[in-house]
Amino acid sequence: MDHRQQPSVRSSDRFDHCPWLFEKEATEERRAAQAERQRSLGGDSEVGERCYVAESAAVFPDVLRLGDDSYIAAHAYVTGTLTTGTDCTLNPFTVARGTVALGTGVRIGAHTSLLGFNHSTAPDQPVFRQPQTSRGITVGDDVWIGSHVVVVDGVTIGDHCVIGAGAVVTKDLPAWTVAAGNPARRIRDRRETGGHRRPSTPGGDDGAGDALARFADTVRTQAAGILARCWNGDHYTDRPGAAPSVRAHCDAVEIADLLLSSAPEQLDRTEHIERLTSLQDRATGLIPELGEQPPSTDADGFVGEGPALYHVLSVGYALDLLGASLPQPVGGVSDMTASQLVTRLQGLPWRDSAWGAGAWIDSWATAAHWNLRHPATAQLTPGTLEALFGWLLTRADPWTGMWGSPSTTAGRLQVVNGYYRLTRGSFAQFGIPVPHPERVVDAVLDHSRDARYFGAGRENACNVLDVAHPLWLCTRQLGGTGGGDDTYRAAEIRAWAERRLSAALATWQAGKGFGFGPGTAGPGPEPGLQGTEMWLAIIWLLADLVGRSDSLGYRPRGVHRPEPGDGTRHLHLP
């Protein structure tokens, strides 16, 4: 049959069943229809930003509070009172009735029922005449409830729980529980593998997943001490004896969030926020190093080099993890025109310092991301983001997928390291596919064989990260999944990641953390906050490339987070 005669799926049906596609793919007509759908839900309803409520869902609430970036998918059935935090998903055929409260980041599998009400069962009258009761269901943050699960009235499911498919949950489950069965029973703590507590030393020979889980237990147990070690009584330092720095404070926030799900205990959350927000220069929106004058800017109003470039990332993400944001826009980015940006891009040192060029784009694009998070006070000049991606897409080398030129003395080092910085802040952060992903994999794997940077005892955090992230990004774009053989050069990628993962785990220093790496690059080989923050993220990327990141029990949410930000909706690319 001619493919033009095949029936097509209506966009409403497609979005109903795949609502995560709506924000990126919906037409203006579909967006208008969805807005009307949300306005007509009835009851006392409030729906957050970037939400989706399926046309085919039966949603008849008394009270509905749907947090930002949440959705109710096809044929769900919702009545009574439903409240959710941000990033919650009710997948197709989910039932939520009675009183149901979900935290942040909750995933409800298809055909699952949350029944926050009950019938009395007294023998003096038929069941259909019995009064209803409702104690309600409460689900914490970061919870995954699988498909075909039933949760009965009165149950509380703690933070970070995972409920296996087909379970019937009749009793409360404490935080970090992995449960399954009918009735649901605790299988293990999500932070563990197996049914016993593991010793607090990394490594081991009882399976790669167990080794990762034991490593995660070790670093989690020692995290508070490592942060205290790098606190001089008034500021954070990268390591004892080093000078206080902005990045050290931000690294401390990232490590505490990753391993302890809290702010570092040396200050309370409000004090962390006040210290970091006070660093921003009011005239430029940039953040100088501690004790230094505000950085000078170029003719277009944005900084050209120096610590302030990275502080756009480190301070912005640290505040984001603390539930805050930069108090004012980054001025040179909000005021820059598309033509000024193109002129700046053309003038970057692509031939001699591709890393420097990529770092500048990373900072500019991240500043744009933060500015767009403050629409009441900051806007980008129309067309600048489109100019950025248009310029990059048309300048990528089709043979490597990268920007810049290799060097006869340094090989691909500048190009590959610059590629990571460039794509991290632009394509990855805004959820835009990178050009020529298969050629990128070729180029990165070729670079990973350069013994000058990947020989025994020569690997530092930057060089490993700058290979691991492009491989992760391109693998996902090409449709692969961690550890599988379903994407381009999967076996080679997995073998490289396995070797790097084993080597990285062995470099942890008890009570001190990770060193950045050998030589004089970065902060050097001594363990400190920068090395620890970077290697923890690298280990997650490597573990995900081999399909075992779940064993770690953590997922980066800051500078090295795998998911894009929320700036994609501001783009209008062809």
Side-chain angles (χ1 to χ4, degrees), residues 176-517:
W176 295 105
T177 297
V178 177
N182 180 7
R185 292 182 174 85
R186 179 187 181 278
I187 297 173
R188 61 179 175 88
D189 188 296
R190 182 177 159 192
R191 296 164 292 187
E192 301 176 9
T193 58
H196 59 279
R197 193 69 181 172
R198 295 172 303 279
S200 59
T201 56
D205 58 1
D206 56 347
D210 284 352
L212 284 173
R214 279 196 308 280
F215 164 79
D217 272 357
T218 297
V219 299
R220 195 173 287 113
T221 300
Q222 297 177 16
I226 289 170
L227 296 175
R229 173 179 179 263
C230 297
W231 173 254
N232 69 4
D234 191 40
H235 290 91
Y236 290 97
T237 65
D238 182 69
R239 56 200 179 280
S245 67
V246 173
R247 177 162 184 168
H249 193 157
C250 297
D251 286 337
V253 171
E254 294 238 13
I255 292 167
D257 179 84
L258 197 67
L259 299 178
L260 304 174
S261 300
S262 66
E265 63 181 14
Q266 286 71 35
L267 302 169
D268 65 34
R269 185 178 297 271
T270 300
E271 290 173 315
H272 282 292
I273 293 171
E274 289 175 351
R275 283 204 179 191
L276 292 173
T277 54
S278 69
L279 298 173
Q280 192 176 28
D281 176 50
R282 293 187 177 183
T284 63
L286 296 166
I287 301 101
E289 187 53 272
L290 295 178
E292 296 186 2
Q293 293 298 313
S296 59
T297 58
D298 293 339
D300 52 32
F302 192 56
V303 66
E305 58 184 6
L309 273 178
Y310 195 79
H311 292 166
V312 172
L313 281 63
S314 58
V315 176
Y317 282 108
L319 287 170
D320 192 50
L321 293 174
L322 293 166
S325 60
L326 292 170
Q328 64 184 73
V330 181
V333 171
S334 60
D335 300 333
M336 191 179 294
T337 66
S339 60
Q340 286 176 320
L341 175 60
V342 168
T343 299
R344 188 63 179 268
L345 293 172
Q346 292 170 339
L348 291 174
W350 296 107
R351 180 175 297 278
D352 301 322
S353 180
W355 180 89
W360 188 91
I361 290 174
D362 188 4
S363 295
W364 189 94
T366 302
H369 170 69
W370 300 134
N371 285 2
L372 290 169
R373 296 275 293 270
H374 299 277
T377 58
Q379 294 183 7
L380 295 180
T381 302
T384 49
L385 277 179
E386 289 77 6
L388 172 68
F389 285 102
W391 193 92
L392 292 173
L393 286 167
T394 56
R395 300 309 195 281
D397 182 348
W399 291 100
T400 65
M402 298 186 173
W403 298 266
S405 304
S407 163
T408 55
T409 57
R412 294 189 188 275
L413 181 66
Q414 285 274 334
V415 175
V416 171
N417 291 12
Y419 181 87
Y420 162 67
R421 288 296 305 272
L422 185 156
T423 57
R424 192 220 69 83
S426 56
F427 291 91
Q429 184 161 236
F430 284 88
I432 305 299
V434 296
H436 316 297
E438 291 183 346
R439 302 292 75 77
V440 173
V441 170
D442 292 338
V444 168
L445 287 176
D446 178 67
H447 173 64
S448 74
R449 292 189 289 271
D450 192 326
R452 291 173 293 180
Y453 314 114
F454 298 95
R458 296 184 179 182
E459 296 175 340
N460 66 43
C462 272
N463 291 346
V464 178
L465 173 65
D466 296 349
V467 170
H469 187 274
L471 290 178
W472 187 93
L473 183 65
C474 292
T475 296
R476 294 310 176 277
Q477 185 172 319
L478 292 167
T481 55
D485 293 313
D486 50 354
T487 191
Y488 184 68
R489 299 184 71 173
E492 294 169 81
I493 293 171
R494 188 169 61 252
W496 181 86
E498 291 277 14
R499 292 193 299 272
R500 300 287 80 72
L501 189 56
S502 296
L505 293 179
T507 63
W508 176 263
Q509 298 188 40
K512 297 179 180 181
F514 285 111
F516 175 83

Side-chain angles (χ1 to χ4, degrees), residues 36 68 112 176 396:
E36 179 58 29
D68 294 349
T112 282
W176 295 105

